[in-house]
Amino acid sequence: MAEVSTDSVNLNTKNGNFICGVVEGFYGRPWTTEQRKDLFQKMKKWGMDSYVYAPKDDYKHRAYWRELYTVEEAEHLTGLIQAAKDQNITFYYALSPGLDITYSSVKEITTLKRKLEQVSQFGCVAFSLLFDDIEPEMSEADKEVFQSFAQAQVSVTNEIYQHLGQPKFLLCPTQYCSTRAVPNVTNSEYLNTLGSKLAQEINIMWTGQKVITRTLTKENIQEITDALRRPPVIWDNIHANDYDQKRVFLGPYSGRSPDLIPKLRGVLTNPNCEYGANFIAIHTLAQWSRCNVDGQRDLTLNDTVSADIKLETETEDGQIGEDVPVTLSPNMYHPRQALKNAIKEWLPEFSKHKSVWGPIAKPQPTVTVIPVPIIPSINTCMSLTSTTTTSSIANSTVSATQLQALAEVTVNDSMVNPLPGPVMNSLVSETKVVCNDSIPNPITPIPIPIPIPGTDNENKSITILSGTLIKPKTNGANEDDGNSQDSDVEVKTCHKLNGEDKALNGKEEITMSTDTGNDLSNESSLSPSEPMDCNFTPNISPAHAGKSTGESNDDVVMSETSASSGSMQIETNDTTMIIENSEKKKSELCAEDLSLLCDLFYLPFEHGGHGLQLLQEFNWLKSNANIVMAENQRTNKDTPEMQEWFSRAAKLGEIAEGVNRLVKHLTVCNNRELLYDLYPYVWDIRSVISLLNSYVKWLAGGHFPASMPSYTQGTYTWFSKGWKETFMSGDQEPWVFRGGLTADLQRLMPVDSGNDLFAYKIPDVPTCRVFTIRPYLASDEADVLNICTRTCKDGLEDQHPYPDALKDLHADRIVAPYITLHPEFCLVVEDDSGVVGYACGAPDYKKFRVKQELAWIPEMCQKYPKSLITNNISKFAQESISYFHEFKDEVFVSSPTHPASMICSLLPSVLDQSVSKRIVTCLLAALRANGYFGVHVTMNCTDSYTHAFYGKLGFVENSSETIKGKIIMGRNF
């Protein structure tokens, strides 16, 4: 076929034929019918014209592409197509048959035609076939008919295109970006075959140089245009976030000059999973698309991402300067100006009364952020890497060579499928996405009772994948070490397709569970979560599953780590949100709040101004902490250096307070749907920023040696040589830097091997209750003693009545020695009601024992004479009095690996699981600043509550230290 002139084709862009819109093409929970209709209205308002229905996990789009729609589904899909027409939006119905289609099979092509014909009857006039994220291999039957993989796809696509009457048509190729082109774009036989053989009227989608492209260049567009013999439609993943549970992208459309518009057939953004989080992404794309391509442009303006970076980072102290030119012509596009325009229109959305259906969390398993350089085995919007084995880096120094290795890392071409989750259906309800319980789903986790030998046939409920075969081990021996609760059960998984195994197919509606700590059997030995183990893509397909041997994965995906997208309705009866009208005005979101929000969750390769400021201020304060060492404060209290340190600490505190205000204002907004979309991210980063601020408050006391920097430098952070440059360059896909700003901030905390401490369970219901962690003050003594008394016995009070003389007995034994002898290593947590918890430590437990013996025990023996030991007091109280008098003879822990000791206690009213982790992390960082890297805790063997509490904090039992009647747990940091 003769090459078509790019210039002549793109004259159509001026006649309104430039495709601009949204592709719902991500993995995870699809959007609802109601959300899609809302999208169509917004798109019409903003001058956009196209929507592509391609939700990867809507089961009849991909996994069960052969199945026709039911009457109920057809009704909803017809309504969607009509709603798009009403707003003059072209509705492209996309199908992804590439997982298991046999291209040469007449039966398969007939099935494909029948499915698309059905949708055509619903009023659809535009279609798309997607061949992304599949193995680029043909079956033996196809090899006999087609010379190449590309020819097979071209043959099917052309036949379908002609059969449907040559409608508007989009194709997503298997090689959809430069890094996937083999061997490269220009010489790719696959791309050149598509270009020469595919009907010229069919538009081909392209993501750019990478899956997620930092900057779209004219050179790349020209290169792919030459190969495809037509300009591409950009499938833009710049705002996609399905590859990272801790990131959402609220920055403006950026890195694409409007000068590209005449060189493209169109742009479709594949944005965040959360519909409510996409206002900025779509609005700014719409602004970009409306730029006058004939206007005279000042090329020094912010056309490219590199200019954005310069504007954001040129002030090293984190100051945010004016980064939008004062005189900006209407036909110019500037990302920051576009963001301001979008925020102004987004703000009223938060006042709309909308309820919420579904869980807070994204529909993918919780994954602990692991320091780079680790390539996570996780898939993205158009997906990405092969399964990659990883391990957490503990107490290791990362060299410049390893950083370079990060920049050069490559992945092989095997695709991975989205993580096991429920079969989702977005076409049976206006307002919710349901898990269809009538479909035999080979990848749905369900609980099932299993008799465990040796336990009197008591059933133990574990969670397995639907279709799992369970058989007791015949040898009866536990090869591990006897500690595994499931040691006598061997679990194999297989894919059941015909629904015969009704006991395993789970007839109940699946609901959301994000609690990673409910299983008490495992609470004391929690370890950082490893990235999930992914199956190969075809396993999600029923046809491929049918061809499988029946046993594919030995690893069982547990429900505790799988955040299913259930169909439950979240009630929002949060009493803390009922406030007086006069107060409500103060609590309303403002543009300043949204600007901060967008800065904290900016773009895949770029942090916003406030984010950079947080990084820079905290790093400077930590690096220059020697200025405020205790001796310096005594002698040089008013030096300019001291004043600067405290001034910058106050600046960090102001940002932290701004984030607290943002959370408070967000939680009282009327739009609960929008709140639930954004809350997990805001809550998570608020926890990390609060932690950094707490540590700075501790640093301000100056209780550390001059050698502190050698203990707290950190191995691999935003400020490591080459890190920032590699992050912003776009040379790596953004999942290499998993966690975004949240992870970059937490990596600055001087706690190595502490990734588990940053894995928080998000509250089930959004709350604006703020917990502040700060250093202990002498005025806190009564509160701390009271909390200790109220939590001294398995987390609760000793209910036995105590005389006044003994009211502080347990507190004097447990916490008072710490706040008396080591107040500099004591922290408290408070909310609006006052102090609600504490954490105290002693850097050297041996020395601490000596101090107690000399300066504390004699006083306690006087205060609590043996004569108080009577039958009128509880046995627990008797033991405490005896403790003081027998202190010298007590066997205690003397561990070279865990020399420090600590205690931590929170009131039962503190339900936020992140609070204990934050206060303990801050204490561990304080101990580390003094050159201590291991800590232990001691408890009675019968104290299951304390055992579980510390287990959740990453402490493990220390088998080398044994004391009769006691359990010693320790952790390194």
Side-chain angles (χ1 to χ4, degrees):
M1 186 178 291
E3 185 172 334
V4 176
S5 167
T6 302
D7 292 335
S8 63
V9 169
N10 278 280
L11 288 174
N12 291 328
T13 58
K14 297 179 183 178
N15 302 324
N17 291 335
F18 182 81
I19 297 171
C20 185
V22 177
V23 51
E24 184 184 343
F26 47 80
Y27 291 94
R29 185 182 66 188
W31 296 334
T32 65
T33 299
E34 191 178 62
Q35 288 171 335
R36 290 165 182 153
K37 289 179 178 179
D38 180 72
L39 172 66
F40 301 155
Q41 292 174 1
K42 287 183 168 64
M43 288 170 63
K44 179 184 180 182
K45 178 182 176 183
W46 299 337
M48 305 173 92
D49 57 33
S50 300
Y51 163 81
V52 180
Y53 168 88
K56 287 288 193 289
D57 291 330
D58 236 0
Y59 78 109
K60 288 186 180 178
H61 163 73
R62 192 166 191 253
Y64 293 83
W65 63 267
R66 296 173 180 83
E67 293 193 18
L68 296 177
Y69 289 106
T70 64
V71 173
E72 184 182 16
E73 292 163 348
E75 185 180 332
H76 277 276
L77 191 49
T78 302
L80 261 184
I81 294 167
Q82 185 58 47
K85 280 184 184 175
D86 292 343
Q87 305 298 332
N88 293 322
I89 303 298
T90 301
F91 185 104
Y92 286 84
Y93 176 82
L95 211 57
S96 292
L99 289 176
D100 54 10
I101 188 173
T102 302
Y103 298 94
S104 58
S105 167
V106 174
K107 182 181 177 183
E108 290 278 77
I109 304 308
T110 302
T111 300
L112 184 56
K113 288 176 180 176
R114 185 180 60 183
K115 176 70 169 280
L116 296 176
E117 279 173 0
Q118 185 193 29
V119 179
S120 177
Q121 291 167 4
F122 302 157
C124 188
V125 295
F127 296 88
S128 178
L129 286 180
L130 310 182
F131 293 110
D132 55 311
D133 302 347
I134 60 174
E135 295 287 355
E137 295 293 332
M138 290 189 291
S139 65
E140 291 303 317
D142 287 340
K143 288 178 182 177
E144 293 179 7
V145 177
F146 300 110
Q147 291 182 345
S148 69
F149 191 57
Q151 284 191 341
Q153 290 182 354
V154 166
S155 173
V156 170
T157 305
N158 282 341
E159 185 173 346
I160 294 296
Y161 174 67
Q162 295 299 334
H163 179 78
L164 293 173
Q166 300 183 347
K168 291 184 177 180
F169 210 96
L170 291 165
L171 173 76
C172 182
T174 305
Q175 295 180 17
Y176 53 78
C177 62
S178 298
T179 53
R180 293 191 180 277
V182 180
N184 53 50
V185 173
T186 301
N187 298 308
S188 167
E189 180 187 350
Y190 174 89
L191 292 174
N192 279 285
T193 300
L194 256 60
S196 60
K197 303 295 185 184
L198 192 69
Q200 188 62 40
E201 298 80 10
I202 296 176
N203 286 316
I204 302 176
M205 293 191 277
W206 183 251
T207 67
Q209 291 93 315
K210 298 186 179 297
V211 178
I212 299 161
T213 299
R214 172 63 153 122
T215 310
L216 279 175
T217 64
K218 293 179 182 177
E219 292 75 20
N220 181 256
I221 298 304
Q222 189 59 54
E223 184 181 42
I224 189 61
T225 298
D226 292 343
L228 297 179
R229 278 72 159 180
R230 73 203 78 193
V233 171
I234 298 299
W235 171 310
D236 208 327
N237 289 317
I238 191 69
H239 284 95
N241 74 331
D242 58 357
Y243 56 87
D244 193 336
Q245 198 179 29
K246 290 191 177 288
R247 302 186 77 179
V248 65
F249 299 110
L250 308 178
Y253 193 67
S254 186
R256 291 96 172 94
S257 168
D259 288 341
L260 293 174
I261 291 174
K263 300 181 181 300
L264 300 170
R265 282 271 178 90
V267 176
L268 296 164
T269 179
N270 177 40
N272 299 283
C273 296
E274 298 81 2
Y275 174 70
N278 288 318
F279 194 99
I280 301 292
I282 301 170
H283 190 285
T284 54
L285 170 61
Q287 291 183 65
W288 175 88
S289 71
R290 291 196 303 269
C291 284
N292 183 349
V293 296
D294 292 327
Q296 292 300 310
R297 306 179 56 78
D298 179 357
L299 298 179
T300 64
L301 287 181
N302 198 15
D303 279 338
T304 64
V305 172
S306 58
D308 260 353
I309 297 173
K310 183 169 185 250
L311 289 164
E312 291 288 14
T313 59
E314 58 193 357
T315 51
E316 286 303 317
D317 62 352
Q319 295 296 319
I320 305 167
E322 178 60 47
D323 56 359
V324 178
V326 178
T327 56
L328 190 64
S329 171
N331 63 323
M332 304 294 181
Y333 180 78
H334 191 287
R336 272 286 174 177
Q337 185 59 51
L339 177 62
K340 289 181 180 180
N341 296 340
I343 285 174
K344 186 178 178 182
E345 281 198 48
W346 194 21
L347 189 58
E349 292 287 317
F350 290 85
S351 300
K352 294 180 179 178
H353 288 269
K354 284 192 179 181
S355 58
V356 60
W357 285 86
I360 290 182
K362 287 203 294 187
Q364 53 175 286
T366 302
V367 180
T368 302
V369 172
I370 296 179
V372 225
I374 299 239
I375 308 304
S377 56
I378 189 169
N379 57 285
T380 184
C381 32
M382 294 205 51
S383 198
L384 21 202
T385 69
S386 63
T387 302
T388 311
T389 55
T390 66
S391 59
S392 56
I393 299 173
N395 295 327
S396 63
T397 302
V398 182
S399 66
T401 305
Q402 286 171 299
L403 179 58
Q404 184 60 32
L406 169 66
E408 296 171 353
V409 71
T410 57
V411 294
N412 68 35
D413 294 328
S414 299
M415 304 297 137
V416 292
N417 73 346
L419 290 195
V423 170
M424 286 178 275
N425 192 337
S426 66
L427 294 176
V428 294
S429 168
E430 287 281 323
T431 57
K432 62 181 178 177
V433 175
V434 302
C435 299
N436 197 316
D437 58 4
S438 64
I439 304 167
N441 179 15
I443 54 169
T444 302
I446 56 170
I448 176 171
I450 298 177
I452 306 296
T455 58
D456 299 324
N457 289 323
E458 290 184 3
N459 284 346
K460 177 181 186 296
S461 182
I462 69 169
T463 304
I464 65 169
L465 297 184
S466 177
T468 301
L469 298 179
I470 305 151
K471 54 183 180 179
K473 285 186 179 178
T474 54
N475 57 14
N478 181 8
E479 297 174 1
D480 292 324
D481 58 5
N483 292 330
S484 173
Q485 300 255 353
D486 303 326
S487 58
D488 297 311
V489 176
E490 181 179 0
V491 180
K492 298 282 185 183
T493 63
C494 70
H495 299 299
K496 296 285 185 184
L497 301 173
N498 52 16
E500 293 172 359
D501 225 342
K502 296 189 178 175
L504 297 178
N505 276 336
K507 291 293 179 182
E508 295 183 10
E509 201 171 64
I510 299 164
T511 55
M512 170 76 177
S513 172
T514 57
D515 191 349
T516 59
N518 283 341
D519 183 5
L520 292 180
S521 66
N522 199 32
E523 281 179 332
S524 61
S525 58
L526 298 180
S527 60
S529 303
E530 290 296 329
M532 48 294 228
D533 185 17
C534 297
N535 302 330
F536 285 106
T537 302
N539 286 357
I540 196 173
S541 158
H544 271 262
K547 298 172 190 173
S548 72
T549 59
E551 297 185 1
S552 58
N553 272 346
D554 293 344
D555 293 332
V556 177
V557 180
M558 307 302 282
S559 66
E560 285 79 11
T561 58
S562 181
S564 303
S565 275
S567 59
M568 64 190 177
Q569 184 173 18
I570 306 289
E571 298 295 335
T572 55
N573 55 346
D574 193 357
T575 54
T576 61
M577 297 171 195
I578 301 174
I579 56 178
E580 297 294 332
N581 286 335
S582 58
E583 289 296 314
K584 188 169 178 69
K585 187 139 189 158
K586 296 181 194 173
S587 301
E588 287 181 354
L589 270 173
C590 60
E592 186 181 358
D593 291 325
L594 293 187
S595 179
L596 173 59
L597 175 64
C598 294
D599 266 3
L600 296 177
F601 299 98
Y602 205 64
L603 289 170
F605 306 97
E606 187 179 352
H607 297 321
H610 284 96
L612 287 170
Q613 191 174 10
L614 280 164
L615 287 164
Q616 290 159 354
E617 294 295 355
F618 181 80
N619 188 64
W620 187 92
L621 290 164
K622 187 179 72 168
S623 302
N624 293 278
N626 60 294
I627 293 172
V628 292
M629 279 173 54
E631 52 266 36
N632 292 344
Q633 293 194 46
R634 283 191 289 272
T635 57
N636 306 308
K637 196 167 185 179
D638 296 321
T639 61
E641 293 81 10
M642 194 81 70
Q643 289 176 356
E644 182 185 9
W645 197 95
F646 282 103
S647 171
R648 295 180 76 155
K651 196 181 298 179
L652 184 74
E654 287 171 9
I655 299 178
E657 187 52 42
V659 176
N660 285 341
R661 278 196 305 274
L662 166 63
V663 173
K664 286 181 178 179
H665 294 171
L666 191 62
T667 50
V668 298
C669 76
N670 294 326
N671 193 330
R672 313 311 290 170
E673 179 185 287
L674 192 44
L675 164 64
Y676 273 69
D677 277 346
L678 295 171
Y679 187 76
Y681 301 101
V682 177
W683 183 89
D684 196 30
I685 202 165
R686 195 270 302 268
S687 295
V688 174
I689 293 170
S690 172
L691 171 62
L692 300 184
N693 195 38
S694 300
Y695 183 63
V696 167
K697 289 177 183 176
W698 180 84
L699 284 177
H703 301 295
F704 44 82
S707 56
M708 184 198 79
S710 64
Y711 307 135
T712 62
Q713 191 59 44
T715 54
Y716 219 68
T717 74
W718 175 260
F719 298 94
S720 300
K721 185 179 179 182
W723 173 283
K724 180 174 20 177
E725 293 74 17
T726 305
F727 171 82
M728 294 193 300
S729 69
D731 292 340
Q732 295 299 308
E733 297 284 8
W735 53 83
V736 171
F737 299 91
R738 195 170 56 184
L741 179 64
T742 302
D744 280 334
L745 289 170
Q746 75 181 45
R747 270 190 287 268
L748 291 175
M749 276 299 289
V751 181
D752 288 350
S753 309
N755 297 310
D756 57 310
L757 291 169
F758 295 96
Y760 308 133
K761 179 188 179 297
I762 297 165
D764 293 325
V765 175
T767 172
C768 54
R769 188 179 181 188
V770 173
F771 296 97
T772 303
I773 295 163
R774 60 168 175 81
Y776 167 84
L777 302 172
S779 57
D780 298 321
E781 180 179 357
D783 289 330
V784 170
L785 296 181
N786 178 47
I787 291 168
C788 183
T789 299
R790 292 170 62 183
T791 59
C792 64
K793 192 173 184 182
D794 279 10
L796 299 172
E797 272 186 279
D798 184 357
Q799 294 302 314
H800 199 281
Y802 277 54
D804 285 346
L806 299 180
K807 69 182 179 68
D808 290 332
L809 172 63
H810 299 303
D812 281 339
R813 173 186 175 180
I814 297 168
V815 74
Y818 287 94
I819 62 175
T820 304
L821 302 174
H822 274 305
E824 71 275 18
F825 290 104
C826 297
L827 301 162
V828 297
V829 56
E830 60 185 356
D831 63 5
D832 292 340
S833 66
V835 177
V836 293
Y838 62 82
C840 304
D844 189 321
Y845 188 62
K846 279 187 182 179
K847 293 179 180 177
F848 183 54
R849 293 278 305 188
V850 173
K851 284 185 179 180
Q852 281 191 77
E853 193 170 341
L854 294 175
W856 183 249
I857 296 301
E859 185 182 334
M860 292 300 102
C861 288
Q862 254 188 320
K863 186 176 180 180
Y864 303 109
K866 285 186 176 181
S867 59
L868 293 175
I869 302 176
T870 67
N871 292 332
N872 293 329
I873 62 174
S874 68
K875 186 178 179 183
F876 188 46
Q878 293 175 34
E879 288 174 359
S880 290
I881 296 173
S882 298
Y883 167 83
F884 295 122
H885 294 277
E886 298 166 6
F887 185 81
K888 287 183 181 180
D889 303 323
E890 186 189 46
V891 179
F892 66 92
V893 177
S894 177
S895 171
T897 55
H898 303 105
S901 72
M902 65 160 286
I903 54 170
C904 177
S905 191
L906 302 170
L907 291 177
S909 63
V910 181
L911 302 177
D912 186 339
Q913 292 188 3
S914 73
V915 175
S916 58
K917 290 191 172 189
R918 277 191 280 144
I919 195 169
V920 167
T921 304
C922 198
L923 176 58
L924 298 185
L927 292 171
R928 187 180 177 89
N930 282 267
Y932 291 86
F933 307 93
V935 67
H936 72 268
V937 293
T938 307
M939 67 210 71
N940 293 325
C941 286
T942 56
D943 192 348
S944 59
Y945 174 86
T946 304
H947 189 265
F949 176 80
Y950 284 108
K952 288 180 180 179
L953 293 169
F955 285 73
V956 293
E957 287 190 36
N958 189 340
S959 56
S960 61
E961 295 285 344
T962 55
I963 299 175
K964 187 177 180 181
K966 302 285 185 183
I967 295 175
I968 295 96
M969 301 179 76
R971 77 163 290 157
N972 295 97
F973 49 89

